[in-house]
């Protein structure tokens, strides 16, 4: 099955193949993006759990700008996690993996991770940190806790994750994909938002993928770009959060 109707560059890790007896359900976002849900025939009722996808995409477009691809899909597979496979998100058939928060996380990667991809695996924090932060923002709007409360909760175990697996941008390769690349960078973006203010922060969150479409980026490139565009020397800030052995103090 092919979700996109226009040729777009894609990193090899953003593609997968699934085989089986699938049932297609079609949907559409408020902005007109065609959406497909591919669900195993024997589990086709699970398509209902994906109904929040258009709402999640609309929410992300308000923050990040227009969805950067032509079409979108979600494919359910025998797994317990999610993957931002380009234009056809792959989700496991569990309550967690099909939850609206995880859907928003994987959709966010289409800007931060798919449209702009790290040039080195050590910088997977670029993808996961922003997607995790946007997921947290979504959760805080939907649940009965504030974003600050959620950040405090994430911070309560981030230092432990960092100690176990290493700094987000200099982790132990044997721990690839552990939580240290998610929560620390998400907390970092929240601290930078506090420092820069909402207007400038979200302007740059939106501008980064828009200005680097169909490209890869390194640690030095993204951190220098944020310093230049914010008018602040953020080199030390990024190094402390992404290369430091311990979690920096929070505001």
């Amino acid at each position: 099955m092919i979700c996109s109707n226009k040729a777009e560059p894609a990193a090899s890790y953003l593609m997968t193949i699934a085989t089986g007896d699938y049932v297609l359900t079609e949907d559409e976002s408020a902005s007109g993006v065609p959406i497909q849900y591919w669900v195993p025939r024997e589990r086709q009722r699970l398509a209902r759990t994906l109904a929040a996808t258009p709402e999640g995409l609309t929410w992300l477009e308000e923050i990040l700008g227009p969805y950067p691809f032509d079409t979108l899909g979600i494919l359910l597979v025998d797994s317990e996690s999610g993957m931002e496979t380009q234009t056809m998100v792959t989700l496991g058939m569990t309550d967690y993996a099909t939850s609206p928060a995880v859907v928003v996380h994987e959709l966010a990667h289409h800007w931060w991770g798919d449209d702009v991809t790290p040039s080195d695996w050590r910088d997977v924090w670029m993808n996961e940190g922003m997607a995790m932060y946007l997921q947290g923002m979504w959760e805080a709007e939907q649940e009965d806790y504030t974003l600050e409360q959620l950040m405090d909760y994430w911070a309560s175990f981030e230092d432990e994750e960092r100690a176990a697996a290493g700094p987000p941008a200099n982790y132990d390769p044997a721990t690839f994909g552990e939580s240290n690349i998610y929560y620390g960078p998400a907390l970092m973006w929240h601290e930078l938002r506090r420092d820069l203010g909402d207007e400038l922060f979200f302007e740059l969150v939106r501008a980064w993928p828009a200005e680097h479409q169909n490209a890869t980026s390194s640690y030095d490139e993204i951190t220098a770009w944020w310093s230049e565009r914010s008018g602040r020397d953020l080199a030390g800030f990024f190094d402390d959060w992404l290369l430091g052995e311990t979690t920096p103090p929070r505001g």
Side-chain angles (χ1 to χ4, degrees):
M1 63 192 70
I2 300 174
C3 189
S4 180
N5 57 24
K6 183 177 75 172
E8 295 279 0
S12 58
Y13 81 94
L14 296 174
M15 295 181 282
T16 193
I17 296 174
T19 60
D21 186 9
Y22 280 90
V23 174
L24 169 64
T25 301
E26 296 186 292
D27 204 347
E28 186 176 84
S29 74
S31 60
V33 177
I35 302 174
Q36 302 174 348
Y37 309 125
W38 292 91
V39 181
R41 186 173 300 278
E42 70 275 13
R43 304 290 300 277
Q44 59 185 290
R45 290 185 178 180
L46 287 176
R48 301 174 185 172
T49 66
L50 307 175
T53 302
E55 178 187 357
L57 184 61
T58 297
W59 184 85
L60 286 167
E61 286 184 312
E62 291 175 355
I63 297 172
L64 300 173
Y67 176 68
F69 300 98
D70 291 341
T71 59
L72 174 65
I74 294 180
L75 171 71
L76 298 189
V77 298
D78 185 13
S79 172
E80 296 183 356
S81 62
M83 180 64 196
E84 63 271 20
T85 35
Q86 189 163 306
T87 73
M88 184 65 77
V89 170
T90 308
L91 297 178
M93 290 182 285
T94 68
D95 290 343
Y96 171 74
T98 58
S99 66
V102 172
V103 169
V104 166
H105 181 110
E106 304 305 342
L107 297 186
H109 277 310
H110 281 76
W111 288 264
W112 283 75
D114 293 9
D115 208 17
V116 188
T117 305
S119 54
D120 190 287
W121 277 120
R122 80 162 188 155
D123 293 325
V124 70
W125 64 267
M126 291 186 202
N127 306 6
E128 301 302 348
M130 184 57 72
M132 199 72 207
Y133 185 53
L134 291 166
Q135 174 185 332
M137 289 175 55
W138 165 272
E139 289 184 42
E141 289 188 15
Q142 307 299 316
E143 306 295 340
D144 60 355
Y145 47 76
T146 67
L147 183 59
E148 290 296 334
Q149 288 172 326
L150 182 59
M151 293 299 106
D152 287 344
Y153 171 64
W154 287 357
S156 70
F157 56 78
E158 196 280 327
D159 219 9
E160 183 177 324
E161 297 285 352
R162 184 183 296 252
N170 190 30
Y171 54 82
D172 178 354
T175 67
F176 176 76
E178 294 295 328
S179 296
N180 61 319
I181 62 173
Y182 292 81
Y183 295 104
L187 290 166
M188 177 194 77
W189 288 123
H190 188 63
E191 292 304 304
L192 189 57
R193 176 184 176 182
R194 283 174 164 172
D195 187 33
L196 299 182
D198 281 7
E199 183 176 357
L200 178 56
F201 176 75
F202 285 112
E203 176 188 325
L204 300 186
V205 166
R206 184 174 178 140
W208 170 254
E211 293 181 13
H212 298 82
Q213 282 190 313
N214 299 326
T216 60
S217 178
S218 69
Y219 182 97
D220 291 341
E221 288 168 340
I222 188 172
T223 56
W225 184 90
W226 274 82
S227 288
E228 178 184 353
R229 292 296 300 271
S230 68
R232 311 271 188 94
D233 181 1
L234 298 174
F237 172 85
F238 283 117
D239 286 350
D240 288 347
W241 273 98
L242 298 170
L243 301 175
E245 297 295 331
T246 58
T247 308
R250 298 170 59 231

